[in-house]
């Protein structure tokens, strides 16, 4: 090699190192996918990612699942603006495969297909028909701005007593969504949402319900992870991811809603599908996949997900062009966590 050729060789290396884009940590997959590594989530003791059911022991306890078409009644508790309500409703309405036009793949309805694999003792599958059957706005905070688990049932009672909000004890589930200025018992410390059923003494019927809070101001680093991470988790990764709809609290809330709806459908009376022997503290099909959003998740990775042109992170598509980042669900067929964006 002549001195001129040698000079050109080193100059080419210099140009490549100076102007090439920074390396993004991946698992050698399609270019639209990437596998962000986040600091260890010390707030969660869950290590159940793409593991084996030999360790999980998920069992059916003979109770009902939501096999009939599912009517969701939303209770908006606190102050909500229509744009934020519309985002959540778009996610819920994306669950049914009958939405027109159909969502692009990977889709929310494909994600719910995993949920629908669960059956009851008659082999009836969880319904894939999920509709918003009614809404009620409790913008006057009828039970205050600090709720307990019991007073949440009172919120439902107030809603069903306010015509035309019905008591649908056959196909209905009730979804209470509290605004970011409402505190709830154990919120941010032990739970980001939960599901249970109402006591007949409170509402008149046994009604499956779920509550999810907006953590945007109270604890985004806990309940909107990975769009926010605790300050003490500095280093070890790129930090918080950009939410798909530019709203940390709301985008985090969507994933928690998905988690709770999947568990409510498969374990509505806390006597159907769960792991463990204590029905008061069950490990359910969403819990088994906590923190996992794509292939290769675990060890600080959320798994391989996608970015849009603005760098916003998502793993599935919804109606009207919406994008969401929603955690995976345990599949009874694969005996592992599964999602529509899986690459294997």
């Amino acid at each position: 090699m002549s001195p001129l050729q040698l000079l050109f060789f080193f100059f080419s290396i210099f140009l490549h190192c100076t102007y090439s884009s920074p390396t993004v940590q991946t698992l050698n997959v399609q270019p639209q996918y990437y596998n962000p590594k986040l600091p260890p989530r010390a707030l969660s003791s869950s290590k159940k990612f793409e593991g084996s059911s030999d360790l999980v022991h998920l069992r059916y306890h003979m109770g009902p699942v939501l096999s009939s078409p599912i009517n969701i009644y939303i209770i908006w508790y606190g102050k909500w603006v229509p744009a934020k309500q519309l985002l959540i409703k778009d996610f819920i309405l994306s669950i049914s495969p009958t939405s027109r036009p159909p969502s692009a793949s990977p889709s929310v309805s494909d994600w719910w297909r995993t949920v629908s694999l669960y059956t009851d003792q008659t082999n009836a599958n969880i319904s894939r028909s999920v509709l918003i059957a009614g809404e009620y706005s409790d913008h006057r905070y009828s039970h205050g701005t600090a709720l307990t688990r019991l007073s949440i049932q009172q919120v439902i009672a107030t809603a069903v007593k306010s015509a035309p909000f019905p008591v649908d004890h056959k196909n209905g589930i009730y979804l209470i969504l509290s605004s970011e200025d409402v505190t709830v018992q154990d919120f941010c410390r032990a739970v980001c949402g939960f599901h249970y059923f109402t006591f007949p003494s409170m509402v008149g019927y046994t009604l499956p319900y779920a509550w999810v809070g907006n953590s945007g101001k109270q604890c985004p680093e806990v309940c909107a992870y990975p769009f926010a991470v605790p300050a003490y988790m500095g280093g070890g990764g790129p930090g918080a991811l950009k939410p798909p709809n530019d709203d940390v609290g709301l985008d985090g809330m969507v994933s928690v809603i998905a988690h709770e709806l999947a568990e409510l459908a498969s374990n509505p009376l806390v006597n159907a599908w769960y792991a463990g022997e204590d029905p008061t503290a069950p490990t359910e099909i969403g819990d088994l996949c906590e923190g996992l959003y794509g292939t290769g998740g675990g060890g600080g990775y959320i798994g391989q997900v996608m970015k849009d042109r603005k760098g916003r992170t998502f793993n599935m598509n919804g109606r009207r062009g919406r994008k969401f980042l929603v955690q995976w669900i345990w599949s009874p067929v694969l005996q592992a966590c599964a999602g529509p964006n899986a690459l294997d």
Side-chain angles (χ1 to χ4, degrees):
M1 182 180 289
S2 67
L4 183 60
Q5 290 174 316
L6 188 64
L7 178 63
F8 180 76
F9 172 74
F10 283 114
F11 183 66
S12 298
I13 293 177
F14 170 77
L15 286 177
H16 176 76
C17 295
T18 303
Y19 295 105
S20 62
S21 59
T23 300
V24 177
Q25 190 168 17
T26 68
L27 296 182
N28 298 319
V29 296
Q30 301 175 44
Q32 68 267 33
Y33 286 85
Y34 80 119
N35 196 38
K37 182 176 177 62
L38 295 172
R41 190 177 183 187
L43 292 171
S44 171
S45 60
S46 174
K47 295 180 177 61
K48 311 178 191 74
F49 297 103
E50 291 183 277
S52 166
S53 66
D54 293 339
L55 302 176
V56 170
H57 298 301
L58 180 71
R59 293 193 300 113
Y60 177 53
H61 296 78
M62 305 307 289
V65 300
L66 299 183
S67 57
S68 299
I70 301 168
N71 293 331
I72 296 182
Y73 297 91
I74 303 177
I75 300 172
W76 304 98
Y77 192 83
K79 295 179 180 178
W80 284 89
V81 298
K84 296 191 176 187
Q85 292 175 316
L86 184 59
L87 172 61
I88 291 176
K89 289 192 289 185
D90 276 342
F91 171 74
I92 294 172
L93 292 173
S94 298
I95 292 175
S96 292
T98 55
S99 62
R100 293 289 181 268
S103 304
S105 181
S107 68
V108 174
S109 63
D110 290 337
W111 168 82
W112 188 264
R113 182 182 289 118
T114 299
V115 180
S116 71
L117 295 173
Y118 288 88
T119 61
D120 62 15
Q121 55 187 309
T122 68
N123 289 323
N125 293 81
I126 290 174
S127 177
R128 296 196 66 192
S129 174
V130 180
L131 303 174
I132 297 175
E135 300 177 64
Y136 176 77
S137 293
D138 195 336
H139 59 274
R140 295 184 178 180
Y141 305 86
S142 63
H143 296 275
T145 57
L147 301 177
T148 65
R149 287 177 179 257
L150 192 59
S151 65
I152 284 177
Q153 294 199 25
Q154 294 172 338
V155 169
I156 299 173
T158 297
V160 298
K161 290 176 183 176
S162 303
F165 208 65
V167 177
D168 186 352
H169 61 278
K170 292 184 177 180
N171 298 332
I173 64 175
Y174 295 78
L175 179 61
I176 304 92
L177 303 175
S178 55
S179 56
E180 59 187 4
D181 58 339
V182 176
T183 62
V184 177
Q185 180 183 357
D186 297 327
F187 187 31
C188 297
R189 292 179 294 278
V191 297
C192 301
F194 62 80
H195 72 91
Y196 204 58
F197 52 86
T198 61
F199 305 140
S201 60
M202 297 290 293
V203 183
Y205 293 91
T206 298
L207 305 173
Y209 75 89
W211 160 81
V212 178
N214 188 327
S215 65
K217 291 184 178 179
Q218 297 182 50
C219 57
E221 71 284 356
V222 176
C223 294
Y225 183 93
F227 305 131
V229 296
Y232 65 81
M233 287 186 177
L241 303 182
K242 193 171 182 180
N245 297 285
D246 297 315
D247 191 317
V248 169
L250 210 63
D251 279 305
M253 196 175 187
V254 164
S255 189
V256 179
I257 290 171
H259 176 118
E260 296 302 330
L261 289 181
E263 294 183 343
L264 188 61
S266 58
N267 197 27
L269 300 182
V270 201
N271 60 357
W273 289 95
Y274 64 88
E277 300 302 323
D278 184 1
T280 64
T283 299
E284 298 171 293
I285 66 172
D287 300 326
L288 294 171
C289 302
E290 181 184 354
L292 178 62
Y293 298 82
T295 301
Y301 290 92
I302 67 169
Q304 294 167 26
V305 294
M306 296 168 282
K307 281 184 178 180
D308 66 11
R309 294 180 179 179
K310 296 183 179 180
R312 298 175 295 192
T313 308
F314 70 101
N315 66 348
M316 60 189 72
N317 298 286
R319 70 194 296 263
R320 303 193 315 126
R322 297 280 197 186
K323 300 183 185 301
F324 304 101
L325 185 70
V326 174
Q327 73 152 85
W328 281 12
I329 295 298
W330 186 267
S331 167
V333 174
L334 299 177
Q335 299 294 294
C337 296
N341 57 314
L343 297 176
D344 50 15

